[in-house]
Coordinates of all heavy atoms in Angstrom, one line a residue:
Chain C
F13 N 94.5 103.1 100.2 CA 93.6 103.8 101.2 C 92.2 103.5 100.9 O 91.8 103.4 99.7 CB 93.8 105.4 101.0 CG 95.1 105.9 101.5 CD1 96.1 106.2 100.6 CD2 95.3 106.0 102.8 CE1 97.3 106.7 101.1 CE2 96.5 106.5 103.3 CZ 97.5 106.8 102.4
R14 N 91.4 103.3 101.9 CA 90.0 103.1 101.8 C 89.3 104.5 101.7 O 89.5 105.3 102.7 CB 89.4 102.3 102.9 CG 89.5 100.8 102.8 CD 88.8 100.1 103.9 NE 89.5 100.4 105.2 CZ 90.6 99.8 105.7 NH1 91.0 98.7 105.0 NH2 91.2 100.1 106.8
T15 N 88.7 104.8 100.7 CA 88.0 106.1 100.6 C 86.5 105.9 100.2 O 86.2 104.7 99.7 CB 88.6 107.0 99.5 OG1 88.4 106.5 98.2 CG2 90.1 107.2 99.8
N20 N 91.9 103.7 97.0 CA 92.9 104.6 96.3 C 94.3 103.9 96.4 O 94.9 103.8 97.5 CB 92.9 105.9 97.1 CG 93.9 107.0 96.4 OD1 94.7 106.6 95.5 ND2 93.8 108.2 96.8
A22 N 97.4 104.4 96.3 CA 98.4 105.4 96.3 C 99.8 105.0 95.9 O 100.6 105.7 95.3 CB 98.4 106.2 97.6
G40 N 109.0 113.0 91.3 CA 107.7 112.7 90.6 C 106.8 113.9 90.8 O 107.0 114.7 91.7
E41 N 105.7 113.9 90.0 CA 104.7 114.9 90.1 C 104.0 114.9 91.4 O 103.9 113.9 92.1 CB 103.7 114.8 89.0 CG 104.2 115.3 87.6 CD 103.2 114.9 86.6 OE1 102.9 113.7 86.4 OE2 102.6 115.8 86.0
S42 N 103.3 116.0 91.7 CA 102.5 116.0 92.9 C 101.4 114.9 92.9 O 100.8 114.6 91.8 CB 101.8 117.3 93.0 OG 101.2 117.5 94.3
G43 N 101.2 114.2 94.0 CA 100.2 113.1 94.1 C 100.7 111.8 93.6 O 99.9 110.9 93.5
C44 N 101.9 111.6 93.2 CA 102.4 110.4 92.7 C 102.7 109.3 93.8 O 103.0 108.2 93.5 CB 103.6 110.5 91.7 SG 105.1 111.0 92.6
G45 N 102.6 109.7 95.0 CA 102.7 108.8 96.1 C 104.1 108.8 96.8 O 104.4 107.9 97.6
K46 N 104.8 109.9 96.7 CA 106.1 110.0 97.3 C 105.9 110.1 98.9 O 106.6 109.4 99.6 CB 106.8 111.3 96.9 CG 107.0 111.4 95.3 CD 107.8 112.6 94.9 CE 107.1 113.9 95.3 NZ 105.9 114.3 94.5
S47 N 105.1 111.0 99.3 CA 104.8 111.1 100.8 C 104.3 109.8 101.3 O 104.7 109.4 102.4 CB 103.9 112.3 101.1 OG 104.5 113.5 100.7
V48 N 103.3 109.2 100.7 CA 102.7 108.0 101.1 C 103.8 106.9 101.3 O 103.9 106.2 102.2 CB 101.6 107.6 100.3 CG1 101.1 106.2 100.7 CG2 100.5 108.6 100.3
T49 N 104.7 106.9 100.3 CA 105.8 105.9 100.4 C 106.6 106.1 101.6 O 106.9 105.2 102.4 CB 106.7 106.0 99.1 OG1 106.0 105.8 98.0 CG2 107.8 105.0 99.2
A61 N 92.9 104.3 108.1 CA 92.9 105.0 106.8 C 93.4 104.1 105.6 O 92.8 104.2 104.6 CB 93.8 106.2 106.9
Q96 N 107.8 118.5 105.3 CA 107.8 119.6 104.4 C 107.5 120.9 105.1 O 108.1 122.0 104.8 CB 106.8 119.4 103.3 CG 106.5 120.5 102.4 CD 105.7 120.0 101.2 OE1 105.3 118.9 101.1 NE2 105.3 121.0 100.4
D178 N 111.1 114.6 103.5 CA 110.1 114.8 102.6 C 110.0 116.3 102.2 O 109.4 117.1 103.0 CB 108.7 114.3 103.2 CG 107.6 114.3 102.2 OD1 107.8 114.8 101.1 OD2 106.5 113.8 102.5
E179 N 110.5 116.6 101.1 CA 110.6 118.0 100.6 C 111.0 119.0 101.7 O 110.2 119.9 102.1 CB 109.2 118.4 100.0 CG 108.7 117.4 99.0 CD 107.5 117.9 98.2 OE1 107.4 119.1 98.1 OE2 106.7 117.1 97.7
I210 N 113.0 113.3 99.3 CA 111.9 113.5 98.4 C 111.9 115.0 98.0 O 112.0 115.8 98.8 CB 110.6 113.1 99.1 CG1 110.6 111.6 99.4 CG2 109.4 113.5 98.2 CD1 109.4 111.2 100.3
H212 N 111.0 118.0 94.6 CA 110.5 118.5 93.3 C 111.7 119.2 92.6 O 111.6 119.5 91.4 CB 109.5 119.5 93.4 CG 108.1 119.0 93.7 ND1 107.3 119.4 94.7 CD2 107.5 117.9 93.1 CE1 106.2 118.7 94.7 NE2 106.3 117.8 93.7
L281 N 93.8 106.7 90.5 CA 94.4 105.6 91.1 C 93.3 104.6 91.7 O 93.7 103.6 92.3 CB 95.3 106.0 92.3 CG 96.4 107.0 91.8 CD1 97.2 107.5 93.0 CD2 97.4 106.3 90.9
Ligands
ATP401 N1 95.1 109.6 104.4 C1 94.8 109.4 103.1 N2 93.7 108.9 102.7 C2 93.3 108.8 101.4 N3 94.1 109.0 100.4 C3 95.3 109.5 100.7 C4 95.7 109.8 102.1 N4 97.0 110.3 102.1 C5 97.4 110.3 100.8 N5 96.4 109.9 100.0 C6 96.4 109.9 98.5 O1 97.6 109.3 98.1 C7 98.0 109.8 96.9 C8 99.5 110.2 96.9 O2 99.7 111.2 97.8 P1 101.1 111.8 98.2 O3 100.9 112.7 99.4 O4 102.0 110.6 98.5 O5 101.6 112.5 97.0 P2 103.1 113.2 96.8 O6 103.8 112.5 95.7 O7 103.8 113.3 98.1 O8 102.6 114.6 96.3 P3 103.3 116.1 96.7 O9 104.4 116.2 95.8 O10 102.1 117.0 96.4 O11 103.6 116.0 98.2 C9 97.1 111.0 96.6 O12 96.2 110.6 95.6 C10 96.4 111.3 97.9 O13 95.1 111.7 97.6

Side-chain angles (χ1 to χ4, degrees):
Chain C
F13 291 102
R14 277 183 294 274
T15 66
N20 185 348
E41 284 171 298
S42 195
C44 68
K46 306 183 296 290
S47 295
V48 173
T49 303
Q96 175 172 353
D178 190 349
E179 306 192 30
I210 295 170
H212 280 132
L281 302 174

